[in-house]
Every structure is written in structure tokens, then in C-alpha cells.
Amino acid sequence: MLELHHNNMSVCSAKVRLVLREKGLAPVEHHYDLRRGDQFAPAYMALNPLGVVPTLVHNGFPFFESTLICEYLDEAFPEPPLRPADPAERTAMRRWASEPDRGLHAACGAVSNALAFRYQFLALAPEELEANLAQTPDPARRERKRMGIEMGMDWPPAAAAVRVYDGALQRMEMTLAAGGPWLAGDAYSLADSGLTPYVVRLDHLNLSWLWDRRPALAAWYDAVQARPNFAGLADHVEPAYLDIMDAHAAELRPKVEAALAG
Ligand SMILES: N[C@@H](CCC(=O)N[C@@H](CS)C(=O)NCC(=O)O)C(=O)O
């Protein structure tokens, strides 16, 4: 039996759902409200001690860390293969698939928070916000969350995160322009499914202008959206979140541009 503990708008969860769809797998789903703090419930933290989604449970055994889950799925359910057979392409795939774990995921969190999600928290009463922050077990993670909520794009790490994101887009552009059509060569792989939710997030944040002058990336983004497995992401998008992302986009664009120039 296959079970997925996830959240609809979580990029890491979407990453895993794209792979599940590609494999034609339909797990039993358990949805977590991350704003309410469902991820910190003791029963869930027994599965995933970090208190983050996603967690995949296969035949009673829990797997966490989305990059590792995706590799596991490709090993346990080999058809269609999402890891290139060629060793050099396989290494390239792993380099791209692990890009979120080397800073892009943290940058995505900081940018999403600074441009949109902080407004969900700022709408809470002060004591509700404190209670919500207090649930985050790791003090450093709690403090980062607090600063992002309080300062938004005026928090220097948020501006730095914009540059990290932009650097990843530029490297994607260069890779795709030099080879392609996929990130690790001729075939769609875990590299493409792994990066897709991060580009979608920028699109949702009204930052698609970041690839106005990146034609190879723009073509890749069209191609990933045209694939049937994209439903694994698109079917879970929550309109209320898109409304929050739209609400402040125009007013915040100059701050994003300033961060890129910084
Ligand atoms: N490296 C982890 C990151 C997981 C992660 O940060 N998940 C986010 C959603 S994308 C989460 O659960 N956030 C809740 C929180 O930080 O309280 C992975 O790839 O699975």
C-alpha cells in the first residue's frame, strides 16, 4: 500500500506527486494544513521527525526528503524510467534534482513568504501568530519564519533568496540552451519533475517575467506544463493561495527588481 502525506501547495509535495502521476500511481492521500501546524502533530512527527511534508509510506515504511522519495519511487516502480541510463546524464540528473536541497528550496520558502504567505500570518491576531510560531520546533527555523513574516522583502535574506532563485534560473537557461530539450538530456527525468514546482511557484507569484529573456527556459516550462503528469501539480492548486500571491505582486515587483540589482 502506498500513502502520501502532503500539502496541496507545497513544492516538495508537488515534486513527489509529479513522479507518482508519471508512474500511474494513485496513493492514499493524507492532506496537512501547514498553516494550522498539522505537520507538528506527534503522530506525524513519528513518521517524519523534521515536521515537514511530504512523507511517503510504502508498505508501512516511511520515506521522507522529497528528492530521496522521488529516487525511491523510480527504483521501486521502474516504468517509465526517470533516471537516465547513461552515467553522465544520470549524474547531471542528480545534480539538478538535488538543486533544491542546496539552497533553492530555502530560497523558494523565503521568497514565497516575503511576497505572499506572510500576509496570511499577518492577518492573525498577535497571540495566534505567537502560538503558530511556537509550534515550530527548531529555534533557527522559527526565527527565520518570524523575520520573514515581520519584514518581508525588507529582510536582507529575502532579497538574497531572490538572487539565489535567479541564479538557478540562469543555470537552467544555460543548460537547456546548450543541450536539452530536458535538463539531463534527451529524456524527461527526475531533474525536470524536481525543478518544475519551483518554476511554477515563480509563475504563481507573478514573476514569470524572470524568463522573458530566457527562451530555452520558457520553452522547457511550456513543455513540462503540456505533459499529462503536470496534473499532479495543477489539480492541487488552491485558488485562495493564488489570490494571496496576486494581491501584492504589482506593489512588490520593484522590491524584487531592486533585490536582483543588489
Ligand atoms: N528537504 C525537505 C523539505 C521539506 C519542506 O520544507 N516542506 C515544507 C513544504 S514544501 C513544509 O513542510 N513546511 C512546513 C514548515 O516549515 O513548518 C524535502 O525536500 O522534503
Side-chain angles (χ1 to χ4, degrees), residues 97-153:
S98 60
E99 180 83 18
D101 308 320
R102 291 194 309 274
L104 181 62
H105 180 67
C108 176
V111 171
S112 303
N113 195 39
L115 296 182
F117 297 157
R118 69 186 282 253
Y119 298 102
Q120 293 173 314
F121 293 103
L122 291 172
L124 298 173
E127 61 280 7
E128 285 177 314
L129 176 59
E130 280 314 311
N132 186 292
L133 286 168
Q135 291 186 92
T136 301
D138 171 26
R141 188 165 139 205
R142 188 165 58 235
E143 224 24 56
R144 279 198 305 276
K145 190 170 168 183
R146 182 192 298 283
M147 293 308 288
I149 292 169
E150 284 178 5
M151 296 184 68
M153 278 303 295

Side-chain angles (χ1 to χ4, degrees), residues 53-209:
V53 290
T55 300
L56 180 85
V57 182
H58 187 202
N59 295 333
F61 195 88
F63 298 89
F64 54 94
E65 285 300 332
S66 57
T67 307
L68 302 181
I69 296 173
C70 293
E71 280 239 17
Y72 172 75
L73 282 170
D74 201 49
E75 285 181 7
F77 303 93
E79 292 301 323
L82 291 173
R83 289 169 300 160
D86 174 73
E89 288 188 353
R90 190 173 280 216
T91 300
M93 176 281 285
R94 289 206 171 103
R95 198 175 61 240
W96 279 114
S98 60
E99 180 83 18
D101 308 320
R102 291 194 309 274
L104 181 62
H105 180 67
C108 176
V111 171
S112 303
N113 195 39
L115 296 182
F117 297 157
R118 69 186 282 253
Y119 298 102
Q120 293 173 314
F121 293 103
L122 291 172
L124 298 173
E127 61 280 7
E128 285 177 314
L129 176 59
E130 280 314 311
N132 186 292
L133 286 168
Q135 291 186 92
T136 301
D138 171 26
R141 188 165 139 205
R142 188 165 58 235
E143 224 24 56
R144 279 198 305 276
K145 190 170 168 183
R146 182 192 298 283
M147 293 308 288
I149 292 169
E150 284 178 5
M151 296 184 68
M153 278 303 295
D154 296 326
W155 188 44
V162 169
R163 293 190 289 276
V164 169
Y165 228 136
D166 190 61
L169 295 183
Q170 182 57 20
R171 280 181 283 112
M172 288 174 78
E173 170 69 17
M174 282 158 46
T175 298
L176 291 163
W182 302 107
L183 282 168
D186 290 340
Y188 180 85
S189 75
L190 294 178
D192 305 290
S193 53
L195 270 295
T196 296
Y198 292 91
V199 179
V200 170
R201 172 55 54 82
L202 292 176
D203 195 5
H204 286 168
L205 287 167
N206 294 284
L207 296 176
S208 61
W209 52 268

